Amino acid sequence: MNYFSEGLVWFNDPLNWTNPGGLLDRLSEHLAISAWAVLLGCLVGWPLGIWMGHRGRGGGVVVTLANLTLAIPTLAMLTILPLTPLGFGRPPVVVALAVFAVPPLLANAYTGLRQIDPETRDAARGMGLSGGQLLRRVELPLAVPYLAAGLRTAAVQVVATAALATFVNGGGLGEIIRAGFGVGMSNGGGGQIVAGGIAVALLALLVEALLAGLQRLVTPRALRARGRRATPSVVPTA
């Protein structure tokens, strides 16, 4: 029996789902870690990107910050942060994954505001809109596809990377994979490793599908046709 077949057998055992530390427990931990990390990334990346995009300055800073955060290995941060007052467990995992989530959120927020036609801004100012009104009524609604694309990219990346939380006792689906290595490949551990990997991959695909639907819902209808021709997803490369 190959490891893939053993993984399917592992999935078919109800005890592997419902036992303490089973798949359902690890799934809830994985989702909680990912949700907090993405939320923290949004609290940092979106305001900074929106502010810079609204001012029309700091494009080089956005690219530099995004590239710097992308260049920092997540695994390295997970090994360093536990040595700080954050300690082991979920806090260092959330912070490390939030840093990983910032680049697409920051870059897409900035690009979403800068791609707006300058004539649209001039027309809004000509109607008497203040800077804050321009941001709320014109720029942010037009930047929604880019904001949603950044959220979608960040969430999928975080969900896929959160399996590394197991290295600092952070929980999540990575615990299933680590337990499989502890059992040993010849004692059924290979099937458990495969099952854990499949669970992480399926969860990332599900998050991608859900956020793709959400992106379509929050995108104004007038912008959907434009989105079909050019999907707004700008992620910097290191």
Side-chain angles (χ1 to χ4, degrees):
M1 182 179 296
N2 59 40
Y3 293 137
F4 184 78
S5 299
E6 290 179 359
L8 295 180
V9 171
W10 191 92
F11 273 123
N12 287 329
D13 187 348
L15 294 179
N16 291 330
W17 290 73
T18 57
N19 276 348
L23 186 59
L24 294 180
D25 285 348
R26 298 309 182 188
L27 178 61
S28 63
E29 293 173 355
H30 201 100
L31 290 174
I33 292 170
S34 301
W36 281 111
V38 173
L39 177 60
L40 183 57
C42 289
L43 293 177
V44 174
W46 272 353
L48 185 59
I50 290 172
W51 178 71
M52 289 184 172
H54 175 67
R55 289 175 54 87
R57 300 175 182 176
V61 176
V62 170
V63 174
T64 301
L65 288 176
N67 286 337
L68 283 176
T69 51
L70 281 176
I72 302 174
T74 306
L75 185 57
M77 292 193 62
L78 286 174
T79 57
I80 295 173
L81 289 177
L83 303 178
T84 68
L86 291 174
F88 285 83
R90 294 189 183 181
V93 174
V94 171
V95 172
L97 293 176
V99 172
F100 189 54
V102 165
L105 293 167
L106 175 63
N108 278 274
Y110 176 83
T111 305
L113 268 72
R114 295 318 305 160
Q115 57 81 34
I116 298 173
D117 191 342
E119 294 183 357
T120 302
R121 290 192 178 88
D122 293 339
R125 292 191 181 96
M127 295 173 62
L129 268 64
S130 64
Q133 292 173 330
L134 173 65
L135 177 63
R136 293 192 303 270
R137 298 182 183 181
V138 179
E139 292 178 330
L140 284 179
L142 292 176
V144 163
Y146 287 81
L147 296 175
L151 175 63
R152 177 178 168 186
T153 302
V156 173
Q157 289 180 348
V158 167
V159 167
T161 310
L164 297 176
T166 184
F167 288 104
V168 291
N169 294 325
L173 293 173
E175 295 287 348
I176 295 176
I177 299 174
R178 186 175 71 166
F181 281 109
V183 171
M185 303 295 287
S186 60
N187 296 323
Q192 185 170 344
I193 295 170
V194 171
I198 292 175
V200 174
L202 290 178
L203 181 60
L205 291 174
L206 178 61
V207 170
E208 163 71 19
L210 291 176
L211 291 182
L214 177 62
Q215 179 180 347
R216 178 174 176 81
L217 287 176
V218 300
T219 302
R221 184 176 299 179
L223 297 179
R224 291 179 186 173
R226 184 192 307 175
R228 296 189 189 100
R229 294 191 295 269
T231 302
S233 180
V234 180
V235 180
T237 57

